[in-house]
PDB file of all heavy atoms in Angstrom:
ATOM      1  N   MET A  20     -21.674  27.457 105.328  1.00  0.00           N
ATOM      2  CA  MET A  20     -22.515  28.271 106.215  1.00  0.00           C
ATOM      3  C   MET A  20     -21.652  29.352 106.669  1.00  0.00           C
ATOM      4  O   MET A  20     -20.431  29.249 106.976  1.00  0.00           O
ATOM      5  CB  MET A  20     -22.919  27.347 107.410  1.00  0.00           C
ATOM      6  CG  MET A  20     -23.847  28.072 108.393  1.00  0.00           C
ATOM      7  SD  MET A  20     -24.360  27.084 109.755  1.00  0.00           S
ATOM      8  CE  MET A  20     -25.059  25.629 109.050  1.00  0.00           C
ATOM      9  N   ASN A  21     -22.198  30.632 106.600  1.00  0.00           N
ATOM     10  CA  ASN A  21     -21.471  31.830 107.000  1.00  0.00           C
ATOM     11  C   ASN A  21     -21.364  31.893 108.515  1.00  0.00           C
ATOM     12  O   ASN A  21     -22.032  31.268 109.308  1.00  0.00           O
ATOM     13  CB  ASN A  21     -22.099  33.086 106.389  1.00  0.00           C
ATOM     14  CG  ASN A  21     -23.384  33.521 106.992  1.00  0.00           C
ATOM     15  OD1 ASN A  21     -23.557  33.266 108.229  1.00  0.00           O
ATOM     16  ND2 ASN A  21     -24.118  34.150 106.247  1.00  0.00           N
ATOM     17  N   ALA A  22     -20.414  32.790 109.020  1.00  0.00           N
ATOM     18  CA  ALA A  22     -20.175  32.915 110.394  1.00  0.00           C
ATOM     19  C   ALA A  22     -21.386  33.299 111.262  1.00  0.00           C
ATOM     20  O   ALA A  22     -21.605  32.850 112.377  1.00  0.00           O
ATOM     21  CB  ALA A  22     -19.028  33.924 110.633  1.00  0.00           C
ATOM     22  N   ASN A  23     -22.244  34.227 110.707  1.00  0.00           N
ATOM     23  CA  ASN A  23     -23.457  34.602 111.431  1.00  0.00           C
ATOM     24  C   ASN A  23     -24.355  33.422 111.690  1.00  0.00           C
ATOM     25  O   ASN A  23     -24.849  33.220 112.828  1.00  0.00           O
ATOM     26  CB  ASN A  23     -24.231  35.728 110.677  1.00  0.00           C
ATOM     27  CG  ASN A  23     -23.507  37.037 110.653  1.00  0.00           C
ATOM     28  OD1 ASN A  23     -22.779  37.385 111.618  1.00  0.00           O
ATOM     29  ND2 ASN A  23     -23.682  37.878 109.683  1.00  0.00           N
ATOM     30  N   ALA A  24     -24.530  32.668 110.623  1.00  0.00           N
ATOM     31  CA  ALA A  24     -25.418  31.499 110.826  1.00  0.00           C
ATOM     32  C   ALA A  24     -24.754  30.437 111.780  1.00  0.00           C
ATOM     33  O   ALA A  24     -25.433  29.821 112.686  1.00  0.00           O
ATOM     34  CB  ALA A  24     -25.635  30.853 109.497  1.00  0.00           C
ATOM     35  N   GLN A  25     -23.476  30.227 111.658  1.00  0.00           N
ATOM     36  CA  GLN A  25     -22.803  29.258 112.624  1.00  0.00           C
ATOM     37  C   GLN A  25     -22.956  29.753 114.088  1.00  0.00           C
ATOM     38  O   GLN A  25     -23.266  28.925 114.941  1.00  0.00           O
ATOM     39  CB  GLN A  25     -21.286  29.153 112.193  1.00  0.00           C
ATOM     40  CG  GLN A  25     -21.122  28.459 110.932  1.00  0.00           C
ATOM     41  CD  GLN A  25     -19.612  28.370 110.595  1.00  0.00           C
ATOM     42  OE1 GLN A  25     -18.823  29.140 111.057  1.00  0.00           O
ATOM     43  NE2 GLN A  25     -19.314  27.455 109.680  1.00  0.00           N
ATOM     44  N   ASN A  26     -22.835  30.980 114.291  1.00  0.00           N
ATOM     45  CA  ASN A  26     -22.914  31.527 115.696  1.00  0.00           C
ATOM     46  C   ASN A  26     -24.331  31.433 116.127  1.00  0.00           C
ATOM     47  O   ASN A  26     -24.626  31.138 117.314  1.00  0.00           O
ATOM     48  CB  ASN A  26     -22.414  32.974 115.815  1.00  0.00           C
ATOM     49  CG  ASN A  26     -20.904  32.980 115.750  1.00  0.00           C
ATOM     50  OD1 ASN A  26     -20.241  32.130 116.279  1.00  0.00           O
ATOM     51  ND2 ASN A  26     -20.360  34.008 115.153  1.00  0.00           N
ATOM     52  N   ALA A  27     -25.315  31.672 115.271  1.00  0.00           N
ATOM     53  CA  ALA A  27     -26.681  31.588 115.735  1.00  0.00           C
ATOM     54  C   ALA A  27     -27.018  30.141 116.136  1.00  0.00           C
ATOM     55  O   ALA A  27     -27.667  29.943 117.122  1.00  0.00           O
ATOM     56  CB  ALA A  27     -27.699  32.045 114.554  1.00  0.00           C
ATOM     57  N   PHE A  28     -26.550  29.222 115.413  1.00  0.00           N
ATOM     58  CA  PHE A  28     -26.757  27.814 115.728  1.00  0.00           C
ATOM     59  C   PHE A  28     -26.014  27.408 116.993  1.00  0.00           C
ATOM     60  O   PHE A  28     -26.453  26.708 117.831  1.00  0.00           O
ATOM     61  CB  PHE A  28     -26.310  26.912 114.618  1.00  0.00           C
ATOM     62  CG  PHE A  28     -27.322  26.830 113.469  1.00  0.00           C
ATOM     63  CD1 PHE A  28     -27.037  27.237 112.230  1.00  0.00           C
ATOM     64  CD2 PHE A  28     -28.613  26.334 113.715  1.00  0.00           C
ATOM     65  CE1 PHE A  28     -27.977  27.163 111.183  1.00  0.00           C
ATOM     66  CE2 PHE A  28     -29.554  26.256 112.725  1.00  0.00           C
ATOM     67  CZ  PHE A  28     -29.235  26.693 111.434  1.00  0.00           C
ATOM     68  N   ARG A  29     -24.789  27.890 117.136  1.00  0.00           N
ATOM     69  CA  ARG A  29     -23.925  27.576 118.204  1.00  0.00           C
ATOM     70  C   ARG A  29     -24.558  28.043 119.575  1.00  0.00           C
ATOM     71  O   ARG A  29     -24.438  27.324 120.606  1.00  0.00           O
ATOM     72  CB  ARG A  29     -22.610  28.319 118.050  1.00  0.00           C
ATOM     73  CG  ARG A  29     -21.580  28.031 119.139  1.00  0.00           C
ATOM     74  CD  ARG A  29     -20.235  28.605 118.632  1.00  0.00           C
ATOM     75  NE  ARG A  29     -19.432  28.971 119.863  1.00  0.00           N
ATOM     76  CZ  ARG A  29     -18.517  29.930 119.905  1.00  0.00           C
ATOM     77  NH1 ARG A  29     -18.350  30.685 118.861  1.00  0.00           N
ATOM     78  NH2 ARG A  29     -17.864  30.125 120.993  1.00  0.00           N
ATOM     79  N   PHE A  30     -25.165  29.190 119.582  1.00  0.00           N
ATOM     80  CA  PHE A  30     -25.778  29.699 120.793  1.00  0.00           C
ATOM     81  C   PHE A  30     -27.291  29.610 120.861  1.00  0.00           C
ATOM     82  O   PHE A  30     -27.951  30.220 121.669  1.00  0.00           O
ATOM     83  CB  PHE A  30     -25.343  31.215 120.962  1.00  0.00           C
ATOM     84  CG  PHE A  30     -23.944  31.362 121.081  1.00  0.00           C
ATOM     85  CD1 PHE A  30     -23.164  32.001 120.090  1.00  0.00           C
ATOM     86  CD2 PHE A  30     -23.208  30.943 122.225  1.00  0.00           C
ATOM     87  CE1 PHE A  30     -21.812  32.236 120.252  1.00  0.00           C
ATOM     88  CE2 PHE A  30     -21.818  31.130 122.380  1.00  0.00           C
ATOM     89  CZ  PHE A  30     -21.109  31.832 121.355  1.00  0.00           C
ATOM     90  N   ALA A  31     -27.829  28.821 119.932  1.00  0.00           N
ATOM     91  CA  ALA A  31     -29.333  28.680 119.825  1.00  0.00           C
ATOM     92  C   ALA A  31     -29.941  28.186 121.142  1.00  0.00           C
ATOM     93  O   ALA A  31     -29.353  27.346 121.872  1.00  0.00           O
ATOM     94  CB  ALA A  31     -29.650  27.803 118.670  1.00  0.00           C
ATOM     95  N   THR A  32     -31.105  28.730 121.452  1.00  0.00           N
ATOM     96  CA  THR A  32     -31.895  28.201 122.550  1.00  0.00           C
ATOM     97  C   THR A  32     -33.341  28.070 121.961  1.00  0.00           C
ATOM     98  O   THR A  32     -33.685  28.662 120.957  1.00  0.00           O
ATOM     99  CB  THR A  32     -31.977  29.223 123.689  1.00  0.00           C
ATOM    100  OG1 THR A  32     -32.817  30.367 123.334  1.00  0.00           O
ATOM    101  CG2 THR A  32     -30.573  29.682 124.131  1.00  0.00           C
ATOM    102  N   PRO A  33     -34.183  27.363 122.698  1.00  0.00           N
ATOM    103  CA  PRO A  33     -35.539  27.190 122.216  1.00  0.00           C
ATOM    104  C   PRO A  33     -36.320  28.497 122.440  1.00  0.00           C
ATOM    105  O   PRO A  33     -37.551  28.512 121.950  1.00  0.00           O
ATOM    106  CB  PRO A  33     -36.083  26.029 123.066  1.00  0.00           C
ATOM    107  CG  PRO A  33     -35.246  25.971 124.258  1.00  0.00           C
ATOM    108  CD  PRO A  33     -33.891  26.533 123.817  1.00  0.00           C
ATOM    109  N   PHE A  34     -35.827  29.415 123.055  1.00  0.00           N
ATOM    110  CA  PHE A  34     -36.620  30.663 123.380  1.00  0.00           C
ATOM    111  C   PHE A  34     -36.544  31.762 122.274  1.00  0.00           C
ATOM    112  O   PHE A  34     -37.335  32.706 122.275  1.00  0.00           O
ATOM    113  CB  PHE A  34     -36.092  31.224 124.682  1.00  0.00           C
ATOM    114  CG  PHE A  34     -36.278  30.313 125.875  1.00  0.00           C
ATOM    115  CD1 PHE A  34     -35.177  29.809 126.383  1.00  0.00           C
ATOM    116  CD2 PHE A  34     -37.527  29.986 126.336  1.00  0.00           C
ATOM    117  CE1 PHE A  34     -35.277  28.790 127.390  1.00  0.00           C
ATOM    118  CE2 PHE A  34     -37.669  29.070 127.413  1.00  0.00           C
ATOM    119  CZ  PHE A  34     -36.544  28.506 127.918  1.00  0.00           C
ATOM    120  N   ALA A  35     -35.633  31.611 121.260  1.00  0.00           N
ATOM    121  CA  ALA A  35     -35.561  32.532 120.195  1.00  0.00           C
ATOM    122  C   ALA A  35     -36.759  32.305 119.378  1.00  0.00           C
ATOM    123  O   ALA A  35     -37.018  31.307 118.906  1.00  0.00           O
ATOM    124  CB  ALA A  35     -34.256  32.396 119.441  1.00  0.00           C
ATOM    125  N   GLU A  36     -37.472  33.435 119.096  1.00  0.00           N
ATOM    126  CA  GLU A  36     -38.715  33.428 118.385  1.00  0.00           C
ATOM    127  C   GLU A  36     -38.515  33.461 116.909  1.00  0.00           C
ATOM    128  O   GLU A  36     -39.411  33.243 116.101  1.00  0.00           O
ATOM    129  CB  GLU A  36     -39.771  34.451 118.849  1.00  0.00           C
ATOM    130  CG  GLU A  36     -40.192  34.202 120.250  1.00  0.00           C
ATOM    131  CD  GLU A  36     -41.307  35.142 120.642  1.00  0.00           C
ATOM    132  OE1 GLU A  36     -41.421  36.231 120.129  1.00  0.00           O
ATOM    133  OE2 GLU A  36     -42.132  34.725 121.459  1.00  0.00           O
ATOM    134  N   ASN A  37     -37.278  33.792 116.472  1.00  0.00           N
ATOM    135  CA  ASN A  37     -36.943  33.961 115.082  1.00  0.00           C
ATOM    136  C   ASN A  37     -35.388  33.976 114.883  1.00  0.00           C
ATOM    137  O   ASN A  37     -34.690  34.030 115.912  1.00  0.00           O
ATOM    138  CB  ASN A  37     -37.601  35.145 114.495  1.00  0.00           C
ATOM    139  CG  ASN A  37     -37.323  36.436 115.190  1.00  0.00           C
ATOM    140  OD1 ASN A  37     -36.100  36.782 115.436  1.00  0.00           O
ATOM    141  ND2 ASN A  37     -38.235  37.174 115.655  1.00  0.00           N
ATOM    142  N   GLY A  38     -35.019  33.867 113.670  1.00  0.00           N
ATOM    143  CA  GLY A  38     -33.543  33.921 113.417  1.00  0.00           C
ATOM    144  C   GLY A  38     -32.871  35.137 113.836  1.00  0.00           C
ATOM    145  O   GLY A  38     -31.652  35.096 114.274  1.00  0.00           O
ATOM    146  N   GLY A  39     -33.597  36.319 113.813  1.00  0.00           N
ATOM    147  CA  GLY A  39     -32.990  37.524 114.291  1.00  0.00           C
ATOM    148  C   GLY A  39     -32.618  37.507 115.754  1.00  0.00           C
ATOM    149  O   GLY A  39     -31.511  37.967 116.187  1.00  0.00           O
ATOM    150  N   GLU A  40     -33.529  36.899 116.493  1.00  0.00           N
ATOM    151  CA  GLU A  40     -33.201  36.803 117.995  1.00  0.00           C
ATOM    152  C   GLU A  40     -32.125  35.882 118.231  1.00  0.00           C
ATOM    153  O   GLU A  40     -31.344  36.122 119.197  1.00  0.00           O
ATOM    154  CB  GLU A  40     -34.557  36.405 118.741  1.00  0.00           C
ATOM    155  CG  GLU A  40     -35.582  37.465 118.829  1.00  0.00           C
ATOM    156  CD  GLU A  40     -36.807  37.143 119.620  1.00  0.00           C
ATOM    157  OE1 GLU A  40     -36.748  36.040 120.309  1.00  0.00           O
ATOM    158  OE2 GLU A  40     -37.798  37.860 119.538  1.00  0.00           O
ATOM    159  N   ALA A  41     -32.045  34.765 117.446  1.00  0.00           N
ATOM    160  CA  ALA A  41     -30.942  33.905 117.696  1.00  0.00           C
ATOM    161  C   ALA A  41     -29.592  34.592 117.336  1.00  0.00           C
ATOM    162  O   ALA A  41     -28.615  34.424 118.105  1.00  0.00           O
ATOM    163  CB  ALA A  41     -31.118  32.623 116.777  1.00  0.00           C
ATOM    164  N   ARG A  42     -29.540  35.309 116.295  1.00  0.00           N
ATOM    165  CA  ARG A  42     -28.342  36.110 115.903  1.00  0.00           C
ATOM    166  C   ARG A  42     -28.021  37.206 116.972  1.00  0.00           C
ATOM    167  O   ARG A  42     -26.858  37.381 117.335  1.00  0.00           O
ATOM    168  CB  ARG A  42     -28.473  36.774 114.540  1.00  0.00           C
ATOM    169  CG  ARG A  42     -28.439  35.814 113.382  1.00  0.00           C
ATOM    170  CD  ARG A  42     -28.329  36.455 112.081  1.00  0.00           C
ATOM    171  NE  ARG A  42     -27.279  37.446 111.994  1.00  0.00           N
ATOM    172  CZ  ARG A  42     -27.343  38.480 111.174  1.00  0.00           C
ATOM    173  NH1 ARG A  42     -28.328  38.607 110.336  1.00  0.00           N
ATOM    174  NH2 ARG A  42     -26.336  39.343 111.068  1.00  0.00           N
ATOM    175  N   ALA A  43     -29.044  37.830 117.485  1.00  0.00           N
ATOM    176  CA  ALA A  43     -28.813  38.855 118.585  1.00  0.00           C
ATOM    177  C   ALA A  43     -28.244  38.199 119.815  1.00  0.00           C
ATOM    178  O   ALA A  43     -27.293  38.733 120.400  1.00  0.00           O
ATOM    179  CB  ALA A  43     -30.119  39.586 118.870  1.00  0.00           C
ATOM    180  N   LEU A  44     -28.788  37.045 120.212  1.00  0.00           N
ATOM    181  CA  LEU A  44     -28.252  36.369 121.363  1.00  0.00           C
ATOM    182  C   LEU A  44     -26.745  35.981 121.125  1.00  0.00           C
ATOM    183  O   LEU A  44     -25.932  36.251 122.020  1.00  0.00           O
ATOM    184  CB  LEU A  44     -29.034  35.085 121.650  1.00  0.00           C
ATOM    185  CG  LEU A  44     -28.488  34.242 122.842  1.00  0.00           C
ATOM    186  CD1 LEU A  44     -28.579  34.919 124.064  1.00  0.00           C
ATOM    187  CD2 LEU A  44     -29.309  32.869 122.843  1.00  0.00           C
ATOM    188  N   ALA A  45     -26.486  35.415 119.991  1.00  0.00           N
ATOM    189  CA  ALA A  45     -25.043  35.130 119.663  1.00  0.00           C
ATOM    190  C   ALA A  45     -24.202  36.326 119.739  1.00  0.00           C
ATOM    191  O   ALA A  45     -23.121  36.245 120.215  1.00  0.00           O
ATOM    192  CB  ALA A  45     -25.047  34.435 118.300  1.00  0.00           C
ATOM    193  N   ALA A  46     -24.693  37.446 119.208  1.00  0.00           N
ATOM    194  CA  ALA A  46     -23.876  38.663 119.163  1.00  0.00           C
ATOM    195  C   ALA A  46     -23.567  39.205 120.569  1.00  0.00           C
ATOM    196  O   ALA A  46     -22.450  39.487 120.941  1.00  0.00           O
ATOM    197  CB  ALA A  46     -24.607  39.773 118.396  1.00  0.00           C
TER     198      ALA A  46
END
């Protein structure tokens, strides 16, 4: 799993409506 995906999962919340929002939150 690449770093972007790992960070998206690490900081995931149920409020992200899509993968892009999960990545943006992590960033």
Side-chain angles (χ1 to χ4, degrees):
M20 183 180 306
N21 71 30
N23 287 331
Q25 287 176 343
N26 285 325
F28 282 117
R29 182 172 153 208
F30 299 112
T32 73
F34 301 107
E36 291 188 335
N37 54 55
E40 287 183 12
R42 283 188 57 202
L44 175 64

